[in-house]
């Protein structure tokens, strides 16, 4: 199944299932809450589980580096890999976040596939100059 069908199916399912949080105000706060839960799950993988570690310091890019070389010099600051449990928790939390993103898009009459297409076109057109 392609991305377009996945987006359309998700939005349709959400429109049928979302009953309690139909208000735009509820949509926004649930979307924000789900984002916080994703962040919390990542943090818990570091602080409770330990499958991930954060090793952060200043990102240093040599002056001679071209923009194409940035990937060689920049780090995620993460060490390790998600364990099966943390992977499952994060997959569920990100899924929940997508649910509320679809709910927000539905409330605002925005097609998620159009959003993905527009963003992809922008990235393709602007390339490295799309850095925001």
């Amino acid at each position: 199944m392609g991305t377009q069908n996945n987006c359309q199916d998700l939005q349709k399912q959400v429109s049928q299932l979302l009953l309690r949080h139909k208000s735009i105000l509820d949509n926004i706060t649930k979307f924000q809450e789900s984002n916080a839960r994703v962040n919390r799950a990542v943090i818990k993988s570091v602080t409770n589980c330990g499958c991930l570690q954060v090793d952060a310091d200043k990102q240093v890019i040599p002056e001679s580096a071209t923009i194409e070389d940035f990937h060689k010099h920049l780090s995620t600051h993460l060490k390790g890999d998600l364990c099966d449990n943390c992977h499952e928790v994060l997959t569920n939390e990100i899924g929940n976040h997508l649910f509320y993103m679809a709910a927000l898009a539905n409330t605002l009459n925005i097609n998620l596939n159009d959003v993905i297409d527009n963003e992809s076109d922008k990235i393709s057109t602007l390339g490295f100059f799309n850095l925001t």
Side-chain angles (χ1 to χ4, degrees), residues 59-115:
Q59 302 264 20
V60 179
I61 303 169
E63 287 186 30
S64 62
T66 65
I67 198 160
E68 291 84 10
D69 294 333
F70 277 31
H71 290 288
K72 297 177 195 171
H73 301 287
L74 297 176
S75 168
T76 64
H77 293 135
L78 286 177
K79 290 188 177 182
D81 294 306
L82 289 172
C83 68
D84 290 343
N85 182 61
C86 290
H87 186 276
E88 181 180 346
V89 169
L90 271 158
T91 298
N92 290 335
E93 293 297 354
I94 291 170
N96 190 45
H97 191 58
L98 287 173
F99 178 93
Y100 286 108
M101 181 187 302
L104 184 59
N106 285 347
T107 301
L108 297 169
N109 198 28
I110 294 173
N111 182 300
L112 285 178
N113 190 64
D114 292 344
V115 172

Side-chain angles (χ1 to χ4, degrees), residues 101 110-127 129-132:
M101 181 187 302
I110 294 173
N111 182 300
L112 285 178
N113 190 64
D114 292 344
V115 172
I116 292 169
D117 287 346
N118 289 343
E119 189 63 19
S120 180
D121 289 347
K122 183 173 80 173
I123 291 168
S124 294
T125 301
L126 296 176
F129 300 103
N130 185 50
L131 304 174
T132 56

Side-chain angles (χ1 to χ4, degrees), residues 24-84:
I24 185 67
L25 300 174
D26 287 332
N27 279 180
I28 290 169
T29 57
K30 291 301 283 185
F31 184 60
Q32 186 176 28
E33 178 186 346
S34 66
N35 184 62
R37 291 180 63 87
V38 170
N39 292 343
R40 183 73 175 145
V42 172
I43 290 166
K44 287 293 193 181
S45 70
V46 173
T47 61
N48 275 13
C49 178
C51 61
L52 291 181
Q53 299 162 352
V54 177
D55 183 18
D57 54 3
K58 181 179 178 181
Q59 302 264 20
V60 179
I61 303 169
E63 287 186 30
S64 62
T66 65
I67 198 160
E68 291 84 10
D69 294 333
F70 277 31
H71 290 288
K72 297 177 195 171
H73 301 287
L74 297 176
S75 168
T76 64
H77 293 135
L78 286 177
K79 290 188 177 182
D81 294 306
L82 289 172
C83 68
D84 290 343

Side-chain angles (χ1 to χ4, degrees), residues 2-21:
T3 303
Q4 182 171 355
N5 289 336
N6 286 339
C7 289
Q8 289 172 345
D9 290 347
L10 177 64
Q11 284 193 262
K12 183 177 179 181
Q13 288 173 317
V14 168
S15 71
Q16 293 170 346
L17 295 173
L18 190 68
L19 301 174
R20 290 185 50 224
H21 305 292

